[in-house]
Amino acid sequence: MHFIRRKGWEIAEREVSPEQVFFNRRAFLNGGAALGFGTILPSLGKSGSAFAANEPDPSASFYPVKRNELYKVDGDVTPESVNSQYNNFYEFGLSKNISQAAEGLKIRPWVLKIEGMVEKPFEIGFDDLLKKVQIEERVYRHRCVEAWSMVVPWSGFPLKSLVDLARPLSSAKYVQMETFMDPKMAPEQRGFWPWPYVEGLTMAEANHDLAFMVTGAYGNPLAKSFGAPIRLHTPWKYGFKSIKSIVKIAFTDKRPQTFWETTGPREYGFWANVNPKVSHPRWSQAVEQVLGTGDRRPTQIYNGYGDYVADLYKGLEKENLFM
Ligand SMILES: Nc1nc2c(c(=O)[nH]1)N[C@H]1C(S)=C(S)[C@@H](COP(=O)(O)O)O[C@H]1N2
Ligand SMILES: [Mo]
């Protein structure tokens, strides 16, 4: 079913994939008709494929950007060839092999709506937004809740820059983000899940320097399978917090009800901070598989970013911080 074969990994993956449960339920409800996904087609690769071959990405001239050496990690960067064949983007299918299907994502025009508790709601085109922020490259670790990890050179800008542009009211306590909703474009959105994909952060998390709005990867504009043209990455949290293809950013005083909380409230929560000691109800989080290698490594608290983010959670010890 997948291109990437990793020693000792296939079994682990079968055990851990959260979609497995839902996929089975869905296949059951649909009498098995949903099983058409996972057809293996030649991949276009992640970079340079954002547009038809004859049409350059309008943001191509921004890349590559200078790497900010403050953000580095102890592992090797995951090869792009591996990464481009292994994605979670459920709007385009329930397997990891969605890169071909994701080519159906239309990424221009792309407008972001800023709304809710702000001085003045507004809309901004993605290319106009790029001109207002400073983009740089950061190498971040990514830890999926399914117990695999990768290391990616993202390009983008701190979420804080966007918060500042939005001018939230002091009464705003959370940032809610939403992915596009277009069942014609994204086949899975015709299914029964609570689309669109929604995520959220507290204001303190959103203003934290590590919270990154990603617009590129591997020195190129973001590929569609990666969540073009703009997605979040919060490297200290499980990967499902890092919402792709964002169209709406709303400031609110109510904690956002996220996609995965709605879908599987027993297993996925709002905070989703990485913690090797807090198991998922169906598997341990102590060890992770490094994508593209046979390596297993111990998972680190806050995915190795604890020195920078642990303070965000002082006084919140009663919350379910690690699911
Ligand atoms: N809109 C949307 N965002 C999403 C997802 C998704 O299915 N839809 N999957 C999440 C999960 S579980 C992970 S691990 C990462 C995967 O990012 P990648 O495919 O770029 O590696 O995206 C996250 N953001
Ligand atoms: Mo994930």
Side-chain angles (χ1 to χ4, degrees):
M1 180 139 165
H2 303 138
F3 283 127
I4 322 301
R5 304 202 71 87
R6 279 144 299 135
K7 278 178 257 149
W9 170 233
E10 280 80 9
I11 293 163
E13 183 184 320
R14 209 170 338 108
E15 283 166 359
V16 303
S17 295
E19 76 267 31
Q20 200 76 23
V21 160
F22 302 112
F23 183 68
N24 289 342
R25 190 174 76 200
R26 183 178 185 284
F28 173 74
L29 289 174
N30 293 353
L35 291 165
F37 293 99
T39 315
I40 294 178
L41 295 165
S43 166
L44 298 176
K46 273 190 169 176
S47 58
S49 62
F51 282 81
N54 54 349
E55 207 185 326
D57 186 301
S59 68
S61 62
F62 282 89
Y63 304 92
V65 287
K66 200 168 180 296
R67 181 172 293 185
N68 184 337
E69 298 291 345
L70 283 176
Y71 304 90
K72 37 183 169 213
V73 303
D74 53 0
D76 293 333
V77 164
T78 304
E80 187 179 5
S81 59
V82 170
N83 217 336
S84 64
Q85 301 303 315
Y86 197 86
N87 300 98
N88 278 334
F89 202 166
Y90 291 106
E91 285 85 341
F92 292 101
L94 307 183
S95 81
K96 301 292 189 256
N97 181 29
I98 54 76
S99 64
Q100 190 72 30
E103 286 305 308
L105 173 61
K106 234 185 117 225
I107 57 173
R108 291 296 188 290
W110 193 273
V111 176
L112 279 108
K113 286 195 171 124
I114 313 289
E115 55 181 56
M117 302 174 93
V118 291
E119 280 177 23
K120 193 170 180 292
F122 63 95
E123 297 185 355
I124 186 166
F126 173 69
D127 297 296
D128 293 330
L129 174 64
L130 269 188
K131 289 180 208 142
K132 288 182 189 279
V133 293
Q134 184 74 41
I135 57 175
E136 64 183 32
E137 183 175 81
R138 298 181 178 189
V139 178
Y140 272 178
R141 289 175 38 71
H142 176 105
R143 171 61 157 78
C144 177
V145 74
E146 298 162 341
W148 55 267
S149 68
M150 60 181 183
V151 175
V152 192
W154 298 121
S155 306
F157 58 91
L159 173 54
K160 183 180 190 313
S161 309
L162 187 48
V163 172
D164 290 346
L165 278 175
R167 304 169 77 85
L169 304 177
S170 58
S171 46
K173 294 195 171 72
Y174 301 92
V175 188
Q176 175 165 329
M177 301 187 198
E178 286 183 29
T179 297
F180 69 86
M181 181 65 190
D182 187 344
K184 281 209 262 332
M185 197 163 72
E188 276 306 314
Q189 290 187 332
R190 293 170 213 155
F192 67 83
W193 276 359
W195 306 108
Y197 201 100
V198 172
E199 261 305 338
L201 298 170
T202 64
M203 288 302 291
E205 290 175 329
N207 281 319
H208 193 282
D209 184 54
L210 281 171
F212 204 48
M213 291 304 267
V214 174
T215 60
Y218 297 95
N220 286 297
L222 203 58
K224 294 180 179 184
S225 52
F226 256 154
I230 183 164
R231 60 94 59 88
L232 174 69
H233 193 225
T234 46
W236 70 97
K237 292 178 176 286
Y238 289 119
F240 66 84
K241 295 295 291 182
S242 293
I243 180 173
K244 294 178 167 183
S245 304
I246 298 164
V247 295
K248 196 198 280 184
I249 300 195
F251 294 83
T252 163
D253 57 2
K254 287 186 194 65
R255 191 161 104 180
Q257 179 68 36
T258 69
F259 178 83
W260 282 109
E261 263 184 303
T262 309
T263 306
R266 251 182 19 87
E267 308 199 337
Y268 308 104
F270 173 78
W271 298 98
N273 295 305
V274 175
N275 188 335
K277 296 206 171 115
V278 179
S279 296
H280 184 279
R282 289 183 282 133
W283 59 85
S284 163
Q285 296 290 18
V287 173
E288 64 204 45
Q289 296 279 349
V290 180
L291 190 60
T293 74
D295 298 346
R296 290 163 63 81
R297 52 169 274 165
T299 289
Q300 299 172 70
I301 180 89
Y302 296 110
N303 199 24
Y305 296 94
D307 287 351
Y308 312 102
V309 299
D311 279 358
L312 289 171
Y313 306 103
K314 283 216 173 106
L316 292 170
E317 290 79 8
K318 289 205 184 95
E319 295 283 329
N320 271 329
L321 291 174
F322 304 107
M323 69 164 271

